[in-house]
Amino acid sequence: MAERESRESRTEKQNGKDGPPELEFPVKVLRDLKAPSKRWGEFEQTIDVLLLTVNTHGFLCCFQYLEEVFKSFNSNLGFVFFGKMGEREREKLQVALLQCCEGGGQPCGAGIMLPKAVEMLRPKAVFCVGSCAALHRDKTRLGDVVAAAKLTTYAQRRVTANKVVPCGFSIPASKNISRLIPFAAFGWKPPLKNPEVEREEVRVHSDGEILSGPEEIASVTRRDELVQLYPNAIAVEMDGDGKL
């Protein structure tokens, strides 16, 4: 009974004002995913964008926007979903969607799968789509979008008798992507069920620095420590461990 009450309490909180805004459409579930299969090599593999996801939720959100989608199996990558994405017919992008395992260094994690996918698919750009944990509660809200301009590792550090000195490194987005990120919110309308009420609640952080590391931050003390060490960071990634 206690566990049931705890779950119901969490659900009520998510559906209330402390939860994310409600979408205008229901996100698909795995049993609803229907895509015809094609044999690898029997179709043109000219890819504009590779979308890499880790958890099922991120995969389903990306799949929601794919058009003319089909799937193909490759022994090195597993199933890859292909489709088009974009508002204007002449400007639609050819997109490949791939899901890997959690943990960048795991056998099927992002650190292993991404280099293979880039080598085989040769995309013009790669976007890793997933969830991140906010570091500044006064600047972010559940449901906000972070288009990361920089990825900073935080696990490397030197501990002395008096202080902790961070020794991680920062990786900015590529030159071409860096030119697009500042305009990520231009003309974008969040797909909200009540846009008139909640439109101002969804913010796009297009200059954000995201921290990357092997931890799943579930401690307020640890979060405050990261904020002190990396004051410009807005969030910490939760899935890819080193991959934006």
Side-chain angles (χ1 to χ4, degrees), residues 133-141 223 226-228 230-235:
L135 292 175
H136 301 274
R137 293 181 176 177
D138 57 331
K139 298 180 181 180
T140 55
R141 179 182 182 272
R223 188 197 72 218
L226 291 176
V227 169
Q228 184 177 5
Y230 303 93
N232 296 324
I234 193 171

Side-chain angles (χ1 to χ4, degrees), residues 38-45 70-74 82 120-121:
K38 293 186 179 182
R39 294 178 64 88
W40 194 270
E42 292 184 350
F43 54 92
E44 184 179 358
Q45 294 181 348
F70 65 91
K71 62 184 178 181
S72 186
F73 180 81
N74 179 274
F82 298 88
M120 298 185 67
L121 300 174

Side-chain angles (χ1 to χ4, degrees), residues 5 12 38 44 52 91 137 165 170 191 207 229 238 240:
E5 292 176 351
E12 291 175 357
K38 293 186 179 182
E44 184 179 358
L52 185 71
E91 299 178 0
R137 293 181 176 177
V165 181
S170 297
D207 58 350
L229 293 174
M238 302 171 62

Side-chain angles (χ1 to χ4, degrees), residues 12-23:
E12 291 175 357
K13 183 176 182 180
Q14 290 175 352
N15 292 334
K17 64 180 181 179
D18 293 330
E22 189 174 356
L23 297 176

